[in-house]
């Protein structure tokens, strides 16, 4: 579900705000400029020091990606690969050259181009696995910034609280103001722990999961391309690729998707017919 991250964050915030309101705490009490400056500014600076400018630049795109991730159509990708396997088996690998312009996925198109060019299977695997490794490294620099921020924020919140308490203890001459001052001091801790566990860490974990899903899809595409190059029977290609899909999606992957992407019958069904 594309909106799962947004829904989850909203539920978490509403739950915390609702619980605080029931207890009689004003939600607006957390809006304290000094605490916000210490926690948000300190966390941002520490994250920049840890991840560098490249990591910081990936924060905004990371939020956008987590809130609205692209759909990975695994069944559709299986149908496309099996259709190409049927074409290659009937007309030869060179026949795929005319299909390359219709392949939308750049990774698949690159792999098929290597196959059409007559590249050795070992080299095809090496090149495509290298692309997966490079993609994962780029993705890691994105979600690593959120994980680092999630680690820094609670500690910086405690630092903010200690700074506030130092100020409070330096003004004990006015006992009547101690209660509100001490209460305000803990706002920094609340902001640090809250932002880490409601924003930074969930978004980082979401991005890590999305990266894993894309890497798994590319691995599936890699195995499909190598099976096409080896001249495997389309039925065998189908069964190989279906192992990468959850059981609930496998039936959809068997459905035809146009005249050029018709799946062969699964093993056993053709004999039964």
């Amino acid at each position: 579900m594309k909106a799962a991250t947004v829904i989850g964050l909203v539920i978490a915030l509403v739950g915390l705000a609702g619980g605080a309101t029931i207890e009689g705490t004003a939600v607006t009490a957390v809006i304290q400029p000094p605490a916000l400056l210490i926690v948000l500014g300190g966390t941002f600076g520490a994250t920049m020091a840890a991840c560098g400018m490249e990591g910081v630049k990936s924060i905004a795109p990371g939020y956008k990606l987590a809130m609205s991730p692209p759909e990975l159509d695994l069944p559709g990708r299986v149908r496309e690969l099996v259709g190409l396997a049927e074409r290659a088996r009937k007309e030869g690998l060179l026949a795929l050259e005319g299909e390359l312009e219709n392949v939308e996925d750049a990774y698949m198109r690159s792999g098929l181009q290597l196959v059409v060019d007559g590249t050795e299977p070992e080299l095809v695997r090496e090149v495509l696995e290298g692309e997966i490794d490079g993609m994962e490294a780029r993705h890691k620099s994105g979600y690593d910034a959120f994980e680092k921020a999630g680690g820094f924020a609670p500690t910086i919140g405690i630092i903010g609280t200690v700074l506030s308490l130092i100020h409070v203890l330096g003004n004990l001459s006015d006992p009547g103001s101690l209660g509100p001052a001490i209460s305000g001091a803990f706002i920094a801790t609340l902001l640090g722990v809250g932002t880490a566990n409601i924003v930074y860490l969930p978004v980082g974990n979401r991005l890590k999961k999305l990266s894993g899903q894309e890497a798994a899809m590319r691995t599936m595409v890699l195995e499909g391309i190598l099976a096409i190059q080896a001249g495997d029977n389309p039925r065998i290609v189908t069964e190989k690729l279906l192992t990468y899909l959850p059981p609930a999606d496998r039936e959809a992957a068997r459905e035809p998707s146009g005249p050029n992407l018709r799946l062969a019958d699964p093993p056993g069904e053709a004999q039964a017919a």
Side-chain angles (χ1 to χ4, degrees), residues 4 29 34-35 45 48 71 91 93 98 120 131 157 159 171 177 185 201 220 233 245 249 261 271:
M48 180 184 295
E71 291 285 355
E91 303 177 29
L93 292 175
E120 292 294 325
E131 287 199 28
I159 293 173
N171 295 273
S177 65
L201 293 179
M220 181 192 75
N233 188 294
L245 273 63
D249 292 339
L261 296 178
Q271 297 161 342

Side-chain angles (χ1 to χ4, degrees), residues 23 107 111 122 124 131 155 163 166 181 204 217 225 234 267:
E23 288 185 346
Y107 177 78
E122 294 79 6
V124 173
E131 287 199 28
T155 304
L163 290 174
I166 290 173
M217 185 182 71
I225 290 173

Side-chain angles (χ1 to χ4, degrees), residues 134-224:
M135 180 201 72
E136 290 180 319
R138 293 190 300 273
H139 289 179
K140 187 178 187 303
S141 68
Y143 64 72
D144 192 51
F146 288 92
E147 292 183 340
K148 290 290 192 296
F152 292 138
T155 304
I156 293 174
I158 293 173
I159 293 173
T161 295
V162 172
L163 290 174
S164 297
L165 289 176
I166 290 173
H167 174 72
V168 171
L169 294 175
N171 295 273
L172 295 177
S173 58
D174 185 9
S177 65
L178 290 181
I182 293 174
S183 174
F186 285 98
I187 294 298
T189 298
L190 174 62
L191 287 173
V193 175
T195 54
N197 291 280
I198 297 178
V199 180
Y200 303 139
L201 293 179
V203 171
N205 288 334
R206 177 62 168 160
L207 292 176
K208 182 185 290 188
K209 182 178 180 180
L210 291 173
S211 177
Q213 290 174 342
E214 187 168 356
M217 185 182 71
R218 287 195 170 192
T219 301
M220 181 192 75
V221 170
L222 166 60
E223 295 301 330

